[in-house]
Amino acid sequence: MGLDTIPIRSEVMSPPFEQQGIVALLQEISQLLRQLALSDENGVIDLRRSPLSPAQREALLTLLGQGEVSAELTVMGRSRVEETALAGVWWVTHYNEEGVVVAELLEIAPIPQILLSVEDELGESQDRLQQMIDGIINGGSVK
Amino acid sequence: MKSDREKESGAIVSQREETVLQRLRRQGISRRGFLKFCTATASMMALPPTMAPAIAAALGSATRPSVIWLSFQECTGCTESLTRSHLPTVESLIFDAISLDYHHTLQAASGEAAERAREEAMARYAGEYLLLVDGSIPYGDEGIYSTIAGVSNLEMLRQGVEGAAAVIAIGTCSSFGGLPMASPNPTGAMSVNDLMQRGAIQRRPLINIPGCPPIPAVITGVIAHYLTFGTIPQLDALHRPLSFYGDTIHDRCYRRTYYDQGKFADTFDDEGARLGWCLYKLGCRGPTTYNSCATLKWNGGTSFPIQSGHGCIGCSEPGFWDAGSFYEALSMPTAAATTATRAGVGVGVAAGALSAWQNLHQRNGARTGHQEVKLDDLERG
Ligand code: SF4
């Protein structure tokens, strides 16, 4: 009986010291992607809590690459959502009104939470549309 | 099942009708804005980002607790740190979310009106307010060495603690005694915890936020935790919140890989220093200091001492001022024990032990008396 008959995976070789932080993060992303595929559960990694040096952070940015989607939000200051070259892995940066980063996350999701419109808002939109329609019918003019 | 503490804090919130969420909504903050606020708050409180929805839910029902801030033997550095915080959105929202009823430095009222405001808040919210304290308390000669409006710090603290739901000691002075307590401690300075232990003031749930000064985001993070969940965060044996003081600087230091490889700067301007090697031999206190500087950093996340080329001086640890020169390498037992138990990296232990042995002659007597730092120490090598 060979090793191939039992379901084991060999551990990755340990990377050089300088790369360990990055490899750990990549492994976490991979695990969260697996979780998303299996259970539809979104994952988030707080980048400001990960002890990366500025150089390592840059290296991670380069490794993850640039995807097709990017979005800019204006909500209590700017927020930037960028798809990485890996589908389902998003780099989300929140700034405050003074342009200082208040949160930096990797979100593992079909689409980041902050971009979604939720049910309450859909209801509000419908109410507002109805008001517009009523306004036009009653007032007779389009503003 | 809610614990008694949670019920107790439920009582606090019923005092102030408007919830934090309602208040934010009234200020025109959208659902996305609120989500962003909660995400930033989770990050600030060192909670996993997946907690953001729980924070949103909690803030949806939490109202503004009354906060009284007392300052004793201190340098106002803690307040400076807080007000120089670079996260105006989050921090100012937190301060919108509490009712700061008394703070010497920040309040507009002065003199008798100020003292009246304190007494009124203490009476109105008895048993419910959150008491924040910075500065140590002189205990010698019945506390005569520091008074405010004719009342000794000791007496003012005693009264303040009596009606408090919980006490947060901000800064190393109120947490551990700090600089005022440094040898020979002329005023008999003590920490809030010392006074609770010896029965000079009543015992209340106590959170210590040491640091000289503490990181602003840690101060607001702990307040935000109390505000959000109405409970005290998980603490270590020294009453420090584990979320911010659970790891040493060394555990989270980006120079750690050099420590593990035994690559050290020997002086502040040698090749090793230029290459960003470990500052252990130059006296770094990272291995024995529990704080978040390595991850949260300072000045809006710009840098922290080690990133700027200077070792950690351990300002958030008890007795840091009397622990010998900041420029002498830590002694072997502490460094080796920390490394071995927390990380188990063999090379680091060996390197640390060797370098500590080399420094053996220098640290003799370091803990017994205050040592002067000479120019030579800085230019060693
Ligand atoms: S000794 Fe200081 S500089 Fe060296 S790795 Fe530890 S914390 Fe970082």
Side-chain angles (χ1 to χ4, degrees):
Chain A
M1 195 163 82
L3 274 183
D4 49 350
T5 57
I6 51 172
I8 58 161
R9 274 187 315 137
S10 61
E11 286 292 320
V12 280
M13 295 274 293
S14 82
F17 279 119
E18 285 80 359
Q19 308 285 342
Q20 272 175 6
I22 292 184
V23 171
L25 254 175
L26 295 180
Q27 270 163 351
E28 193 178 351
I29 298 173
S30 156
Q31 189 258 321
L32 289 175
L33 271 172
R34 210 173 314 139
Q35 168 190 308
L36 178 63
L38 287 178
S39 64
D40 270 348
E41 206 182 311
N42 292 358
V44 200
I45 298 170
D46 186 345
L47 281 172
R48 295 204 306 167
R49 283 273 151 194
S50 312
L52 295 176
S53 69
Q56 285 174 323
R57 190 186 163 285
E58 285 309 306
L60 181 68
L61 254 178
T62 317
L63 268 173
L64 293 181
Q66 178 96 42
E68 294 164 330
V69 185
S70 69
E72 182 108 7
L73 290 85
T74 312
V75 48
M76 288 168 54
R78 213 160 56 83
S79 290
R80 219 179 145 64
V81 176
E82 283 191 80
E83 191 191 33
T84 67
L86 305 166
V89 181
W90 304 81
W91 192 294
V92 182
T93 317
H94 294 303
Y95 302 84
N96 65 14
E97 276 105 353
E98 301 191 350
V100 176
V101 175
V102 290
E104 192 167 37
L105 316 162
L106 279 177
E107 206 166 323
I108 291 73
I111 193 153
Q113 206 61 33
I114 196 137
L115 291 182
L116 289 173
S117 299
V118 299
E119 234 167 89
D120 288 5
E121 291 172 318
L122 302 186
E124 269 174 41
S125 301
Q126 257 184 327
D127 292 347
R128 286 181 53 195
L129 276 169
Q130 195 55 51
Q131 280 172 11
M132 283 183 216
I133 294 168
D134 292 349
I136 296 169
I137 292 173
N138 298 331
S141 68
V142 182
K143 280 204 185 121
Chain B
M1 266 294 281
K2 284 202 162 181
S3 69
D4 282 355
R5 266 219 55 72
E6 278 165 329
K7 278 185 209 144
E8 245 173 65
S9 51
I12 303 178
V13 297
S14 62
Q15 291 281 328
R16 314 237 163 176
E17 333 66 54
E18 196 176 38
T19 68
V20 176
L21 178 58
Q22 282 165 346
R23 196 179 162 82
L24 296 178
R25 282 275 173 148
R26 196 163 51 76
Q27 291 171 348
I29 289 164
S30 67
R31 180 196 66 88
R32 286 201 181 95
F34 189 56
L35 181 62
K36 177 168 168 174
F37 170 67
C38 293
T39 305
T41 306
S43 174
M44 194 175 77
M45 288 196 278
L47 292 172
T50 42
M51 285 293 283
I55 295 173
L59 286 182
S61 56
T63 46
R64 312 165 68 209
S66 168
V67 172
I68 297 175
W69 182 316
L70 300 176
S71 300
F72 300 131
Q73 273 193 139
E74 45 87 39
C75 68
T76 317
C78 294
T79 299
E80 285 287 333
S81 172
L82 185 63
T83 54
R84 294 299 178 280
S85 110
H86 283 246
L87 299 170
T89 309
V90 177
E91 260 94 339
S92 60
L93 283 173
I94 291 294
F95 277 92
D96 252 6
I98 65 172
S99 166
L100 191 54
D101 288 321
Y102 180 85
H103 186 300
H104 290 189
T105 316
L106 301 179
Q107 70 195 359
S110 62
E112 281 169 12
E115 297 313 305
R116 237 192 346 266
R118 176 176 59 83
E119 281 157 15
E120 272 169 21
M122 274 168 44
R124 171 124 48 101
Y125 303 112
E128 295 166 358
Y129 59 81
L130 186 60
L131 186 72
L132 270 46
V133 181
D134 66 333
S136 64
I137 302 91
Y139 190 72
D141 301 320
E142 290 164 22
I144 56 161
Y145 296 111
S146 179
T147 60
I148 297 161
V151 181
S152 74
N153 290 172
L154 183 61
E155 178 56 20
M156 194 176 277
L157 178 66
R158 199 189 56 69
Q159 292 169 7
V161 165
E162 218 167 71
V167 183
I168 303 184
I170 294 178
T172 301
C173 294
S174 55
S175 297
F176 304 133
L179 260 62
M181 202 179 85
S183 175
N185 190 4
T187 66
M190 287 198 186
S191 68
V192 173
N193 192 35
D194 288 342
L195 293 170
M196 282 189 186
Q197 293 305 326
R198 60 166 54 217
I201 56 174
Q202 290 194 1
R203 288 188 192 216
R204 289 285 177 271
L206 172 69
I207 309 175
N208 282 334
I209 309 183
C212 195
I215 303 171
V218 173
I219 306 177
T220 42
V222 174
I223 298 174
H225 185 108
Y226 186 81
L227 166 78
T228 310
F229 300 112
T231 53
I232 305 270
Q234 227 190 330
L235 306 176
D236 70 4
L238 296 177
H239 297 269
R240 301 175 290 197
L242 279 172
S243 49
F244 296 109
Y245 299 90
D247 294 323
T248 62
I249 301 295
H250 186 65
D251 288 330
R252 311 285 273 167
C253 180
Y254 75 98
R255 295 191 189 216
R256 175 61 180 268
T257 54
Y258 295 117
Y259 175 91
D260 292 337
Q261 296 171 78
K263 289 179 176 167
F264 301 103
D266 285 310
T267 68
F268 281 105
D269 58 359
D270 68 359
E271 192 57 17
R274 270 189 287 277
L275 289 171
W277 288 357
C278 170
L279 302 166
Y280 175 81
K281 287 190 181 179
L282 292 170
C284 182
R285 296 286 184 267
T288 52
T289 304
Y290 291 84
N291 208 335
S292 294
C293 305
T295 47
L296 287 181
K297 302 191 180 173
W298 286 84
N299 297 320
T302 306
S303 183
F304 73 113
I306 292 167
Q307 194 175 331
S308 307
H310 193 287
C312 163
I313 62 169
C315 75
S316 56
E317 288 296 315
F320 86 99
W321 198 254
D322 289 325
S325 165
F326 295 143
Y327 301 98
E328 282 180 24
L330 277 174
S331 54
M332 175 185 68
T334 2
T338 311
T339 313
T341 52
R342 298 201 136 239
V345 179
V347 194
V349 179
L354 177 65
S355 119
W357 184 82
Q358 285 166 340
N359 282 287
L360 193 65
H361 65 286
Q362 290 170 327
R363 68 183 157 83
N364 278 344
R367 291 190 183 260
T368 49
H370 188 80
Q371 287 194 340
E372 270 178 55
V373 177
K374 296 184 203 76
L375 203 55
D376 280 359
D377 288 331
L378 301 172
E379 293 174 345
R380 189 145 35 93

